[in-house]
Amino acid sequence: MAYNDSDTAGRHAAYAGGPREEDLLPSSAEQSVKVVVVGGFGVGKTTMVGSVSEIRPLTTEETMTQAGAGVDDLAGVERKTETTVAMDFGRITLDERLVLYLFGTPGQQRFWFLWNGVIEGALGAVVLVDTRRLEDSFQAMDRLEECGVPFVVAVNTFPDAPLHPVPELRAALDLPARVPVVTCDARGFDSSREVLLTLLRHLYARATEGDPPSPAVTASPSPSEAP
Amino acid sequence: MTVPEEAEDEPARRKPDDDQPVPLYVVTGGRSESADAMALDLVTLVVARADPHSGQSPEHTALLRMCRYPISVAEISAYLGLPFSAATVLLTDLLDSSQVEVRQTRVEQRQAAADPDLDTLRALIDGLQRL
Ligand SMILES: Nc1nc2c(ncn2[C@@H]2O[C@H](COP(=O)(O)OP(=O)(O)OP(=O)(O)O)[C@@H](O)[C@H]2O)c(=O)[nH]1
Ligand SMILES: [Mg+2]
């Protein structure tokens, strides 16, 4: 699916009135899971959501407010700092009852991770990494760890980004051996789907093995990892 | 390859506290976010149980029309052009009047995410492989 960068207002106008006929879920849909794509500014989160989504990516938003120090409650909402956090998301219908939603968090928003309900309740996360700016992903990984949300790291291969061996990246990101690290091209459907499969196989391995599984140092997901 | 040191005031690992931003206290039609609204996750699937009746607000009517088939709260929020918490306020009204139902509560969804069962993971893997 083409990368869609239309602004939020444009999308709202375009979609007012509800889903198109072809975007309706089957009546039998009853279980939904949430996967979040996190990472630094401009690392390809929106692109990845669009690459795998069966619907044109949508945007949901939340208005976050922060009471400034010493602000009188009676001063009201207007005196507080407000930030609108917009989140791109896409959808994949897996079967007649199960639906996966993929949320791309904003890279430059300071407060998105305080929107309760984005990371909380997520089955897992994809941490997208640009090797030129590894440190951009630290905050997101910290937040995932705090929330106990398992994740895989996907290195988005930009043409001018230096290539590093996976063990080196793993060390630089201070990742435990069990966290899979893969390379990807977020613009590609197959590549983005492989990243999701890597995450789900990782979750499957966690669920089947009581103890942490043996190190999975793979540059790309291998079919033998499949349960 | 070098990794920058984390700055002393690095916001990471900072625990949310009372001074942290929270979703805006949403007031819709004079009503505020209720405890029930908190029962909805972004991905909670909602489905209509009844048709809109005359006298319902245009927002409630539009929302009800949107959930003839199961639809997530995130999609509802996107299609209505409303912030997530405002959409949950409208949905709570419709839940209270039994005009919509949820397929899975947020609690159930979160428990399932925290401790995913193998059948679900298997279905996700199979489904993705079939795409
Ligand atoms: N070469 C290459 N370019 C990519 C890839 N993924 C994304 N891009 C490009 O990088 C730019 C940023 O991608 P986005 O998907 O908007 O990144 P984002 O993480 O959503 O950005 P923010 O939401 O602003 O943080 C776009 O111009 C994409 O076309 C990739 O895998 N390879
Ligand atoms: Mg984006």
Side-chain angles (χ1 to χ4, degrees):
Chain A
M1 179 171 297
Y3 167 63
N4 182 341
D5 198 23
S6 62
D7 62 32
T8 301
R11 283 185 202 179
H12 287 163
Y15 289 110
R20 299 175 306 175
E21 196 72 27
E22 59 266 42
D23 290 341
L24 296 171
L25 287 174
S27 304
S28 51
E30 60 181 10
Q31 192 187 354
S32 53
V33 299
K34 178 169 60 180
V35 167
V36 291
V37 183
V38 304
F41 176 66
V43 76
K45 301 175 296 291
T46 299
T47 304
M48 178 170 277
V49 168
S51 293
V52 290
S53 179
E54 68 195 10
I55 57 171
R56 267 179 71 192
L58 296 168
T59 305
T60 180
E61 59 185 46
E62 186 61 298
T63 309
M64 312 296 290
T65 186
Q66 181 175 31
V71 171
D72 189 330
D73 268 348
L74 294 173
V77 159
E78 293 75 20
R79 296 285 177 83
K80 297 177 178 177
T81 312
E82 283 181 23
T83 318
T84 296
V85 178
M87 202 88 61
D88 304 311
F89 68 100
R91 192 185 79 193
I92 306 172
T93 306
L94 279 316
D95 60 33
E96 60 288 341
R97 51 172 299 277
L98 183 60
V99 192
L100 183 151
Y101 286 94
L102 194 61
F103 285 83
T105 59
Q108 217 174 31
Q109 284 288 348
R110 231 178 112 210
F111 295 140
W112 69 262
F113 51 83
L114 295 163
W115 175 354
N116 288 321
V118 174
I119 279 186
E120 291 84 353
L123 192 64
V126 172
V127 178
L128 260 186
V129 163
D130 179 340
T131 54
R132 293 165 295 186
R133 290 169 296 156
L134 282 185
E135 65 280 6
D136 286 5
S137 53
F138 291 170
Q139 195 175 11
M141 284 193 283
D142 280 345
R143 182 76 177 118
L144 291 170
E145 281 167 7
E146 277 171 20
C147 292
V149 174
F151 59 89
V152 298
V153 171
V155 181
N156 207 359
T157 47
F158 289 93
D160 44 346
L163 279 173
H164 297 286
V166 166
E168 223 177 272
L169 279 172
R170 190 184 287 289
L173 293 169
D174 193 21
L175 288 177
R178 64 182 307 200
V179 175
V181 179
V182 295
T183 56
C184 74
D185 183 333
R187 295 165 303 177
F189 167 79
D190 285 330
S191 182
S192 299
R193 177 180 65 167
E194 270 313 309
V195 172
L196 289 179
L197 278 165
T198 303
L199 173 65
L200 288 159
R201 289 174 185 137
H202 175 57
L203 296 175
Y204 194 94
R206 284 171 52 105
T208 46
E209 296 161 37
D211 295 321
S214 53
V217 185
T218 49
S220 61
S222 89
S224 61
E225 275 183 63
Chain B
M1 185 168 46
T2 57
V3 178
E5 294 291 322
E6 265 191 36
E8 284 292 313
D9 61 347
E10 172 64 46
R13 297 207 180 280
R14 193 176 52 182
K15 292 275 184 281
D17 59 46
D18 289 347
D19 291 337
Q20 295 296 307
V22 293
L24 182 66
Y25 188 75
V26 175
V27 179
T28 307
R31 287 151 297 113
S32 62
E33 202 173 344
S34 77
D36 287 346
M38 302 308 285
L40 298 164
D41 191 272
L42 280 163
V43 300
T44 302
L45 295 177
V46 180
V47 68
R49 299 182 60 189
D51 289 328
H53 49 71
S54 56
Q56 279 193 296
S57 76
E59 291 78 17
H60 289 107
T61 304
L63 204 165
L64 266 175
R65 294 227 165 92
M66 237 169 247
C67 1
R68 280 190 208 144
Y69 289 86
I71 185 169
S72 66
V73 181
E75 284 165 290
I76 291 169
S77 149
Y79 289 128
L80 289 178
L82 287 175
F84 170 74
S85 51
T88 61
V89 170
L90 294 174
L91 273 168
T92 301
D93 294 337
L94 298 174
L95 280 167
D96 288 348
S97 60
S98 301
Q99 285 176 287
V100 299
E101 64 185 14
V102 296
R103 286 280 154 99
Q104 204 182 20
T105 66
R106 188 176 70 165
V107 170
E108 288 166 344
Q109 190 258 333
R110 291 196 173 182
Q111 279 167 355
D115 185 19
D117 71 277
L118 293 179
D119 287 345
T120 300
L121 293 174
R122 186 78 248 181
L124 285 163
I125 292 168
D126 288 348
L128 280 171
Q129 279 172 335
R130 270 197 309 270
L131 287 183

